[in-house]
Amino acid sequence: MKNNVCGVIVTYNIGLKFYECFNAVINQVEKIVIVDNGSNEETLNVLKDIKRKYNVVIIYNDINMGIANALNLGVKYALDNKYEWLLTMDNDSKATENMVQVMLDCYETCFKSDKNIVGMFPEYIEKSTVQDKELCISTLGNYSYNETFFDNASGNLVKLDIFKNIGYFKEELFIDSVDHDFCMRVKEAGGKMIKVKNAKLLHNLGNMKVYNIFGIKINCSNHSALRRYYVTRNRCYMRRKYKNDKEYMKYDRKTFINENLKIILFEKDKINKIRMSIKGYKDFKKNKFGEFNLG
């Protein structure tokens, strides 16, 4: 497909499940770059199989260098090869049919004359909660959208020129808040990002589990204790960096309260998650970033 879109997918120990992500997007973009972050043998065998069958670029990191580093390798390839758009995908997300085309068409139809529009997000649908398949279809025309200042990186379609203006993804964050930091820098530079509700992405947020309490459904991400470390450390980084942005601070306060209440009330391994969250805060105070280590 000739649409001047380069897709970058970061893989890490995903194994056979990666075929679902890859097969859903291979015919939606002009080029795919897969960046592997030191995966296990099962995943590497899947990538070898894909390389034999498709004209893709695969970049191998010997160890896990973090999501930001891997995404930046894809950004550099796309810039060097003069693509206009970059699609960023998590290895366990699944693009619905025509998702990319819907976002591109929405841009051409509604926003082409607005030079400040630099990126688009799809509507996210949690895989584990899907019941109505009719809600999981990307549709062309009659576009419904709204401006958003930050969202998840998976499924994000962004103009590559913006990286020349604001820089690449922040590698010191390693994982978590990488996407929100990028979006906030776009905002500070005067750029705008749009959520296209006609475009749908099936997405996994952690190990989602739904609890039904008195008829009210409560979604818990069930992130591991290690992820709680990164979430807390990088949340502190974001709060310090964007403390003057009232909209972001309001969002973060609400998210912080909701996440921690769910950990205390519903999730397993509570003590270890709280302990790692405290460790994340302490490392933030020490200005210690990058990959977590016990030292």
Side-chain angles (χ1 to χ4, degrees):
M1 174 175 285
K2 297 292 183 181
N3 58 11
N4 218 0
V5 177
C6 179
V8 56
I9 312 173
V10 180
T11 52
Y12 180 68
N13 292 347
I14 185 68
L16 295 172
K17 293 180 181 178
F18 182 57
Y19 284 115
E20 184 178 36
C21 169
F22 178 81
N23 290 337
V25 77
I26 179 61
N27 294 319
Q28 296 200 45
V29 298
E30 191 169 332
K31 192 72 175 181
I32 283 185
V33 178
I34 301 169
V35 183
D36 185 75
N37 251 340
S39 287
N40 54 30
E41 186 176 355
E42 181 187 25
T43 302
L44 295 179
N45 286 336
V46 169
L47 298 183
K48 290 177 184 177
D49 178 57
I50 286 173
K51 182 64 177 177
R52 284 195 300 266
K53 297 175 180 177
Y54 297 94
N55 182 25
V56 299
V57 173
I58 302 181
I59 301 171
Y60 294 96
N61 283 332
D62 292 334
I63 59 174
N64 186 356
M65 298 294 292
I67 188 72
N69 171 275
L71 287 173
N72 285 339
L73 291 174
V75 172
K76 291 169 186 175
Y77 175 90
L79 285 171
D80 288 345
N81 288 274
K82 303 188 185 307
Y83 286 95
E84 181 180 2
W85 294 94
L86 184 82
L87 176 73
T88 56
M89 290 287 295
D90 288 351
N91 62 185
D92 59 352
S93 295
K94 182 181 179 181
T96 56
E97 187 176 358
N98 294 323
M99 182 192 79
V100 175
Q101 187 57 45
V102 166
M103 289 192 286
L104 287 174
D105 191 64
C106 180
Y107 173 81
E108 291 290 327
T109 303
C110 307
F111 301 113
K112 191 172 183 179
S113 61
D114 189 343
K115 302 302 182 183
N116 291 323
I117 302 296
V118 299
M120 291 167 287
F121 296 98
E123 187 78 12
Y124 297 103
I125 301 173
E126 174 58 42
K127 280 184 179 182
S128 62
T129 63
V130 170
Q131 294 180 340
D132 188 349
K133 292 185 178 180
E134 291 298 318
L135 298 176
C136 304
I137 299 174
S138 295
T139 55
L140 289 160
N142 297 318
Y143 292 111
S144 175
Y145 53 82
N146 62 271
E147 184 176 350
T148 184
F149 294 114
F150 42 80
D151 217 322
N152 299 321
S154 191
N156 184 201
L157 190 63
V158 59
K159 280 191 171 182
L160 279 153
D161 280 347
I162 191 64
F163 292 97
K164 300 175 183 178
N165 298 331
I166 69 170
Y168 291 5
F169 295 104
K170 293 292 185 183
E171 297 188 12
E172 58 266 37
L173 297 179
F174 197 77
I175 190 171
D176 282 303
S177 296
V178 171
D179 41 14
H180 285 187
D181 174 74
F182 175 77
C183 292
M184 292 301 293
R185 285 187 284 129
V186 167
K187 180 182 177 182
E188 288 184 336
K192 298 178 182 178
M193 305 193 85
I194 302 297
K195 179 178 279 291
V196 182
K197 297 182 180 180
N198 301 59
K200 311 289 185 180
L201 178 78
L202 297 177
H203 184 61
N204 280 330
L205 181 61
N207 300 302
M208 184 67 70
K209 186 174 181 180
V210 181
Y211 297 88
N212 196 318
I213 308 297
F214 303 115
I216 300 174
K217 292 183 178 180
I218 299 175
N219 298 330
C220 294
S221 63
N222 288 293
H223 282 309
S224 68
L226 179 59
R227 282 296 295 273
R228 297 315 310 178
Y229 165 85
Y230 287 115
V231 168
T232 302
R233 187 195 68 184
N234 294 347
R235 164 174 280 140
C236 293
Y237 168 88
M238 293 289 290
R239 289 180 65 84
R240 180 177 65 188
K241 186 174 181 180
Y242 302 109
K243 62 184 179 182
N244 295 324
D245 191 293
K246 293 181 179 179
E247 184 172 17
Y248 183 80
M249 295 299 288
K250 180 180 178 181
Y251 157 83
D252 183 72
R253 282 192 295 270
K254 181 179 178 181
T255 303
F256 173 80
I257 293 170
N258 286 342
E259 287 178 353
N260 285 281
L261 279 176
K262 289 174 182 179
I263 290 172
I264 294 168
L265 295 175
F266 301 107
E267 296 188 13
K268 297 178 180 179
D269 199 22
K270 307 176 195 295
I271 301 300
N272 200 31
K273 290 178 182 180
I274 293 171
R275 182 181 67 82
M276 288 296 285
S277 294
I278 294 171
K279 172 66 175 171
Y281 172 74
K282 289 181 177 179
D283 279 359
F284 161 74
K285 295 294 287 183
K286 296 175 183 175
N287 205 33
K288 188 176 180 180
F289 290 93
E291 185 177 11
F292 169 77
N293 63 73
L294 293 173

PDB file of all heavy atoms in Angstrom, residues 107 111 114-121 147-149 157-158 162 183 186-195:
ATOM      1  N   TYR A 107      -8.055  13.138   8.296  1.00  0.00           N
ATOM      2  CA  TYR A 107      -7.127  14.267   8.216  1.00  0.00           C
ATOM      3  C   TYR A 107      -7.307  15.028   6.899  1.00  0.00           C
ATOM      4  O   TYR A 107      -7.406  16.263   6.887  1.00  0.00           O
ATOM      5  CB  TYR A 107      -5.687  13.769   8.332  1.00  0.00           C
ATOM      6  CG  TYR A 107      -4.655  14.844   8.102  1.00  0.00           C
ATOM      7  CD1 TYR A 107      -4.320  15.733   9.122  1.00  0.00           C
ATOM      8  CD2 TYR A 107      -4.025  14.975   6.866  1.00  0.00           C
ATOM      9  CE1 TYR A 107      -3.382  16.733   8.910  1.00  0.00           C
ATOM     10  CE2 TYR A 107      -3.086  15.968   6.647  1.00  0.00           C
ATOM     11  CZ  TYR A 107      -2.775  16.848   7.676  1.00  0.00           C
ATOM     12  OH  TYR A 107      -1.848  17.850   7.453  1.00  0.00           O
ATOM     13  N   PHE A 111      -8.883  18.283   8.233  1.00  0.00           N
ATOM     14  CA  PHE A 111      -7.799  19.025   8.896  1.00  0.00           C
ATOM     15  C   PHE A 111      -6.626  19.399   8.006  1.00  0.00           C
ATOM     16  O   PHE A 111      -5.667  20.001   8.496  1.00  0.00           O
ATOM     17  CB  PHE A 111      -7.247  18.198  10.071  1.00  0.00           C
ATOM     18  CG  PHE A 111      -8.273  17.858  11.105  1.00  0.00           C
ATOM     19  CD1 PHE A 111      -8.667  16.545  11.286  1.00  0.00           C
ATOM     20  CD2 PHE A 111      -8.854  18.837  11.885  1.00  0.00           C
ATOM     21  CE1 PHE A 111      -9.615  16.219  12.234  1.00  0.00           C
ATOM     22  CE2 PHE A 111      -9.806  18.530  12.838  1.00  0.00           C
ATOM     23  CZ  PHE A 111     -10.185  17.212  13.015  1.00  0.00           C
ATOM     24  N   ASP A 114      -5.185  22.781   8.351  1.00  0.00           N
ATOM     25  CA  ASP A 114      -4.720  23.189   9.678  1.00  0.00           C
ATOM     26  C   ASP A 114      -3.321  22.637   9.904  1.00  0.00           C
ATOM     27  O   ASP A 114      -3.140  21.466  10.228  1.00  0.00           O
ATOM     28  CB  ASP A 114      -5.687  22.661  10.752  1.00  0.00           C
ATOM     29  CG  ASP A 114      -5.392  23.234  12.133  1.00  0.00           C
ATOM     30  OD1 ASP A 114      -4.271  23.764  12.333  1.00  0.00           O
ATOM     31  OD2 ASP A 114      -6.255  23.151  13.022  1.00  0.00           O
ATOM     32  N   LYS A 115      -2.331  23.475   9.775  1.00  0.00           N
ATOM     33  CA  LYS A 115      -0.945  23.047   9.869  1.00  0.00           C
ATOM     34  C   LYS A 115      -0.539  22.643  11.288  1.00  0.00           C
ATOM     35  O   LYS A 115       0.524  22.051  11.502  1.00  0.00           O
ATOM     36  CB  LYS A 115      -0.013  24.155   9.368  1.00  0.00           C
ATOM     37  CG  LYS A 115      -0.279  24.585   7.935  1.00  0.00           C
ATOM     38  CD  LYS A 115      -0.149  23.411   6.965  1.00  0.00           C
ATOM     39  CE  LYS A 115      -0.375  23.858   5.533  1.00  0.00           C
ATOM     40  NZ  LYS A 115      -0.337  22.724   4.572  1.00  0.00           N
ATOM     41  N   ASN A 116      -1.385  22.966  12.270  1.00  0.00           N
ATOM     42  CA  ASN A 116      -1.058  22.620  13.654  1.00  0.00           C
ATOM     43  C   ASN A 116      -1.419  21.182  14.003  1.00  0.00           C
ATOM     44  O   ASN A 116      -0.969  20.676  15.034  1.00  0.00           O
ATOM     45  CB  ASN A 116      -1.781  23.570  14.618  1.00  0.00           C
ATOM     46  CG  ASN A 116      -1.239  24.990  14.553  1.00  0.00           C
ATOM     47  OD1 ASN A 116      -0.041  25.198  14.388  1.00  0.00           O
ATOM     48  ND2 ASN A 116      -2.121  25.968  14.666  1.00  0.00           N
ATOM     49  N   ILE A 117      -2.211  20.523  13.174  1.00  0.00           N
ATOM     50  CA  ILE A 117      -2.584  19.137  13.432  1.00  0.00           C
ATOM     51  C   ILE A 117      -1.409  18.242  13.056  1.00  0.00           C
ATOM     52  O   ILE A 117      -1.011  18.162  11.896  1.00  0.00           O
ATOM     53  CB  ILE A 117      -3.831  18.716  12.634  1.00  0.00           C
ATOM     54  CG1 ILE A 117      -5.008  19.630  12.969  1.00  0.00           C
ATOM     55  CG2 ILE A 117      -4.172  17.257  12.914  1.00  0.00           C
ATOM     56  CD1 ILE A 117      -5.473  19.557  14.391  1.00  0.00           C
ATOM     57  N   VAL A 118      -0.838  17.565  14.052  1.00  0.00           N
ATOM     58  CA  VAL A 118       0.362  16.760  13.796  1.00  0.00           C
ATOM     59  C   VAL A 118       0.165  15.279  14.112  1.00  0.00           C
ATOM     60  O   VAL A 118       1.057  14.468  13.845  1.00  0.00           O
ATOM     61  CB  VAL A 118       1.575  17.283  14.594  1.00  0.00           C
ATOM     62  CG1 VAL A 118       1.905  18.708  14.185  1.00  0.00           C
ATOM     63  CG2 VAL A 118       1.323  17.201  16.092  1.00  0.00           C
ATOM     64  N   GLY A 119      -0.974  14.912  14.660  1.00  0.00           N
ATOM     65  CA  GLY A 119      -1.151  13.504  14.992  1.00  0.00           C
ATOM     66  C   GLY A 119      -2.593  13.135  15.251  1.00  0.00           C
ATOM     67  O   GLY A 119      -3.431  13.995  15.542  1.00  0.00           O
ATOM     68  N   MET A 120      -2.867  11.828  15.151  1.00  0.00           N
ATOM     69  CA  MET A 120      -4.213  11.306  15.375  1.00  0.00           C
ATOM     70  C   MET A 120      -4.152  10.013  16.165  1.00  0.00           C
ATOM     71  O   MET A 120      -3.216   9.219  16.004  1.00  0.00           O
ATOM     72  CB  MET A 120      -4.918  11.074  14.033  1.00  0.00           C
ATOM     73  CG  MET A 120      -5.264  12.366  13.303  1.00  0.00           C
ATOM     74  SD  MET A 120      -5.742  12.081  11.592  1.00  0.00           S
ATOM     75  CE  MET A 120      -4.156  11.675  10.879  1.00  0.00           C
ATOM     76  N   PHE A 121      -5.163   9.831  16.989  1.00  0.00           N
ATOM     77  CA  PHE A 121      -5.309   8.604  17.757  1.00  0.00           C
ATOM     78  C   PHE A 121      -6.594   7.901  17.349  1.00  0.00           C
ATOM     79  O   PHE A 121      -7.588   8.558  17.022  1.00  0.00           O
ATOM     80  CB  PHE A 121      -5.405   8.902  19.258  1.00  0.00           C
ATOM     81  CG  PHE A 121      -4.183   9.527  19.850  1.00  0.00           C
ATOM     82  CD1 PHE A 121      -4.120  10.907  20.039  1.00  0.00           C
ATOM     83  CD2 PHE A 121      -3.106   8.749  20.239  1.00  0.00           C
ATOM     84  CE1 PHE A 121      -2.997  11.492  20.605  1.00  0.00           C
ATOM     85  CE2 PHE A 121      -1.973   9.332  20.799  1.00  0.00           C
ATOM     86  CZ  PHE A 121      -1.921  10.695  20.982  1.00  0.00           C
ATOM     87  N   GLU A 147     -10.424  16.992  19.905  1.00  0.00           N
ATOM     88  CA  GLU A 147      -9.018  17.280  20.178  1.00  0.00           C
ATOM     89  C   GLU A 147      -8.636  16.669  21.525  1.00  0.00           C
ATOM     90  O   GLU A 147      -9.411  16.680  22.478  1.00  0.00           O
ATOM     91  CB  GLU A 147      -8.775  18.784  20.211  1.00  0.00           C
ATOM     92  CG  GLU A 147      -7.307  19.157  20.386  1.00  0.00           C
ATOM     93  CD  GLU A 147      -7.059  20.655  20.317  1.00  0.00           C
ATOM     94  OE1 GLU A 147      -7.990  21.402  19.939  1.00  0.00           O
ATOM     95  OE2 GLU A 147      -5.932  21.072  20.666  1.00  0.00           O
ATOM     96  N   THR A 148      -7.450  16.094  21.593  1.00  0.00           N
ATOM     97  CA  THR A 148      -6.958  15.519  22.838  1.00  0.00           C
ATOM     98  C   THR A 148      -5.502  15.925  23.025  1.00  0.00           C
ATOM     99  O   THR A 148      -4.765  16.086  22.048  1.00  0.00           O
ATOM    100  CB  THR A 148      -7.099  13.982  22.845  1.00  0.00           C
ATOM    101  OG1 THR A 148      -6.685  13.467  24.117  1.00  0.00           O
ATOM    102  CG2 THR A 148      -6.260  13.333  21.755  1.00  0.00           C
ATOM    103  N   PHE A 149      -5.096  16.090  24.255  1.00  0.00           N
ATOM    104  CA  PHE A 149      -3.738  16.557  24.510  1.00  0.00           C
ATOM    105  C   PHE A 149      -2.774  15.416  24.812  1.00  0.00           C
ATOM    106  O   PHE A 149      -1.564  15.589  24.717  1.00  0.00           O
ATOM    107  CB  PHE A 149      -3.737  17.565  25.658  1.00  0.00           C
ATOM    108  CG  PHE A 149      -4.459  18.835  25.330  1.00  0.00           C
ATOM    109  CD1 PHE A 149      -5.630  19.181  25.984  1.00  0.00           C
ATOM    110  CD2 PHE A 149      -3.978  19.672  24.342  1.00  0.00           C
ATOM    111  CE1 PHE A 149      -6.296  20.354  25.669  1.00  0.00           C
ATOM    112  CE2 PHE A 149      -4.633  20.851  24.018  1.00  0.00           C
ATOM    113  CZ  PHE A 149      -5.800  21.188  24.684  1.00  0.00           C
ATOM    114  N   LEU A 157      -0.949   7.865  14.948  1.00  0.00           N
ATOM    115  CA  LEU A 157      -0.453   8.234  13.625  1.00  0.00           C
ATOM    116  C   LEU A 157       0.036   9.667  13.709  1.00  0.00           C
ATOM    117  O   LEU A 157      -0.750  10.588  13.958  1.00  0.00           O
ATOM    118  CB  LEU A 157      -1.580   8.103  12.597  1.00  0.00           C
ATOM    119  CG  LEU A 157      -1.203   8.209  11.114  1.00  0.00           C
ATOM    120  CD1 LEU A 157      -0.271   7.068  10.704  1.00  0.00           C
ATOM    121  CD2 LEU A 157      -2.462   8.189  10.250  1.00  0.00           C
ATOM    122  N   VAL A 158       1.347   9.865  13.547  1.00  0.00           N
ATOM    123  CA  VAL A 158       1.929  11.175  13.799  1.00  0.00           C
ATOM    124  C   VAL A 158       2.803  11.615  12.631  1.00  0.00           C
ATOM    125  O   VAL A 158       3.480  10.799  12.003  1.00  0.00           O
ATOM    126  CB  VAL A 158       2.743  11.151  15.118  1.00  0.00           C
ATOM    127  CG1 VAL A 158       3.856  10.127  15.051  1.00  0.00           C
ATOM    128  CG2 VAL A 158       3.290  12.518  15.461  1.00  0.00           C
ATOM    129  N   ILE A 162       7.355  16.482  13.143  1.00  0.00           N
ATOM    130  CA  ILE A 162       7.283  16.995  14.506  1.00  0.00           C
ATOM    131  C   ILE A 162       8.501  16.558  15.327  1.00  0.00           C
ATOM    132  O   ILE A 162       8.937  17.269  16.230  1.00  0.00           O
ATOM    133  CB  ILE A 162       5.978  16.549  15.202  1.00  0.00           C
ATOM    134  CG1 ILE A 162       5.787  17.308  16.532  1.00  0.00           C
ATOM    135  CG2 ILE A 162       5.963  15.050  15.434  1.00  0.00           C
ATOM    136  CD1 ILE A 162       5.605  18.797  16.389  1.00  0.00           C
ATOM    137  N   CYS A 183       3.333  13.721  23.907  1.00  0.00           N
ATOM    138  CA  CYS A 183       2.135  14.505  23.592  1.00  0.00           C
ATOM    139  C   CYS A 183       2.179  15.884  24.242  1.00  0.00           C
ATOM    140  O   CYS A 183       1.770  16.883  23.631  1.00  0.00           O
ATOM    141  CB  CYS A 183       0.881  13.770  24.047  1.00  0.00           C
ATOM    142  SG  CYS A 183       0.516  12.271  23.121  1.00  0.00           S
ATOM    143  N   VAL A 186       4.376  18.074  22.284  1.00  0.00           N
ATOM    144  CA  VAL A 186       3.657  18.526  21.081  1.00  0.00           C
ATOM    145  C   VAL A 186       2.778  19.726  21.428  1.00  0.00           C
ATOM    146  O   VAL A 186       2.751  20.737  20.717  1.00  0.00           O
ATOM    147  CB  VAL A 186       2.791  17.387  20.504  1.00  0.00           C
ATOM    148  CG1 VAL A 186       1.813  17.926  19.452  1.00  0.00           C
ATOM    149  CG2 VAL A 186       3.667  16.304  19.885  1.00  0.00           C
ATOM    150  N   LYS A 187       2.068  19.606  22.529  1.00  0.00           N
ATOM    151  CA  LYS A 187       1.180  20.688  22.970  1.00  0.00           C
ATOM    152  C   LYS A 187       1.962  21.970  23.234  1.00  0.00           C
ATOM    153  O   LYS A 187       1.551  23.064  22.814  1.00  0.00           O
ATOM    154  CB  LYS A 187       0.436  20.256  24.231  1.00  0.00           C
ATOM    155  CG  LYS A 187      -0.527  21.299  24.781  1.00  0.00           C
ATOM    156  CD  LYS A 187      -1.186  20.801  26.054  1.00  0.00           C
ATOM    157  CE  LYS A 187      -2.103  21.865  26.646  1.00  0.00           C
ATOM    158  NZ  LYS A 187      -2.731  21.420  27.915  1.00  0.00           N
ATOM    159  N   GLU A 188       3.098  21.848  23.935  1.00  0.00           N
ATOM    160  CA  GLU A 188       3.911  23.023  24.242  1.00  0.00           C
ATOM    161  C   GLU A 188       4.432  23.697  22.977  1.00  0.00           C
ATOM    162  O   GLU A 188       4.647  24.917  22.965  1.00  0.00           O
ATOM    163  CB  GLU A 188       5.081  22.624  25.140  1.00  0.00           C
ATOM    164  CG  GLU A 188       4.685  22.297  26.568  1.00  0.00           C
ATOM    165  CD  GLU A 188       5.875  22.004  27.458  1.00  0.00           C
ATOM    166  OE1 GLU A 188       6.938  21.616  26.932  1.00  0.00           O
ATOM    167  OE2 GLU A 188       5.743  22.159  28.682  1.00  0.00           O
ATOM    168  N   ALA A 189       4.635  22.906  21.925  1.00  0.00           N
ATOM    169  CA  ALA A 189       5.135  23.453  20.654  1.00  0.00           C
ATOM    170  C   ALA A 189       4.011  24.029  19.794  1.00  0.00           C
ATOM    171  O   ALA A 189       4.273  24.503  18.686  1.00  0.00           O
ATOM    172  CB  ALA A 189       5.881  22.367  19.883  1.00  0.00           C
ATOM    173  N   GLY A 190       2.774  23.985  20.290  1.00  0.00           N
ATOM    174  CA  GLY A 190       1.647  24.537  19.544  1.00  0.00           C
ATOM    175  C   GLY A 190       0.958  23.548  18.632  1.00  0.00           C
ATOM    176  O   GLY A 190       0.068  23.918  17.863  1.00  0.00           O
ATOM    177  N   GLY A 191       1.367  22.261  18.715  1.00  0.00           N
ATOM    178  CA  GLY A 191       0.736  21.239  17.894  1.00  0.00           C
ATOM    179  C   GLY A 191      -0.558  20.733  18.504  1.00  0.00           C
ATOM    180  O   GLY A 191      -0.807  20.893  19.704  1.00  0.00           O
ATOM    181  N   LYS A 192      -1.373  20.123  17.675  1.00  0.00           N
ATOM    182  CA  LYS A 192      -2.649  19.563  18.124  1.00  0.00           C
ATOM    183  C   LYS A 192      -2.738  18.096  17.705  1.00  0.00           C
ATOM    184  O   LYS A 192      -2.204  17.714  16.662  1.00  0.00           O
ATOM    185  CB  LYS A 192      -3.824  20.327  17.507  1.00  0.00           C
ATOM    186  CG  LYS A 192      -3.900  21.792  17.875  1.00  0.00           C
ATOM    187  CD  LYS A 192      -5.068  22.452  17.166  1.00  0.00           C
ATOM    188  CE  LYS A 192      -5.153  23.939  17.467  1.00  0.00           C
ATOM    189  NZ  LYS A 192      -6.275  24.583  16.730  1.00  0.00           N
ATOM    190  N   MET A 193      -3.441  17.305  18.525  1.00  0.00           N
ATOM    191  CA  MET A 193      -3.645  15.896  18.213  1.00  0.00           C
ATOM    192  C   MET A 193      -5.132  15.588  18.333  1.00  0.00           C
ATOM    193  O   MET A 193      -5.825  16.102  19.225  1.00  0.00           O
ATOM    194  CB  MET A 193      -2.815  15.014  19.134  1.00  0.00           C
ATOM    195  CG  MET A 193      -1.334  15.380  19.106  1.00  0.00           C
ATOM    196  SD  MET A 193      -0.235  14.167  19.874  1.00  0.00           S
ATOM    197  CE  MET A 193       0.010  13.036  18.517  1.00  0.00           C
ATOM    198  N   ILE A 194      -5.610  14.729  17.435  1.00  0.00           N
ATOM    199  CA  ILE A 194      -7.037  14.459  17.295  1.00  0.00           C
ATOM    200  C   ILE A 194      -7.329  12.989  17.569  1.00  0.00           C
ATOM    201  O   ILE A 194      -6.602  12.113  17.098  1.00  0.00           O
ATOM    202  CB  ILE A 194      -7.518  14.818  15.865  1.00  0.00           C
ATOM    203  CG1 ILE A 194      -7.223  16.293  15.549  1.00  0.00           C
ATOM    204  CG2 ILE A 194      -9.002  14.508  15.686  1.00  0.00           C
ATOM    205  CD1 ILE A 194      -7.939  17.281  16.427  1.00  0.00           C
ATOM    206  N   LYS A 195      -8.380  12.727  18.321  1.00  0.00           N
ATOM    207  CA  LYS A 195      -8.872  11.353  18.483  1.00  0.00           C
ATOM    208  C   LYS A 195      -9.995  11.140  17.474  1.00  0.00           C
ATOM    209  O   LYS A 195     -11.014  11.838  17.509  1.00  0.00           O
ATOM    210  CB  LYS A 195      -9.384  11.084  19.892  1.00  0.00           C
ATOM    211  CG  LYS A 195      -9.934   9.659  20.059  1.00  0.00           C
ATOM    212  CD  LYS A 195     -10.402   9.406  21.482  1.00  0.00           C
ATOM    213  CE  LYS A 195      -9.249   9.083  22.385  1.00  0.00           C
ATOM    214  NZ  LYS A 195      -8.630   7.748  22.093  1.00  0.00           N
TER     215      LYS A 195
END
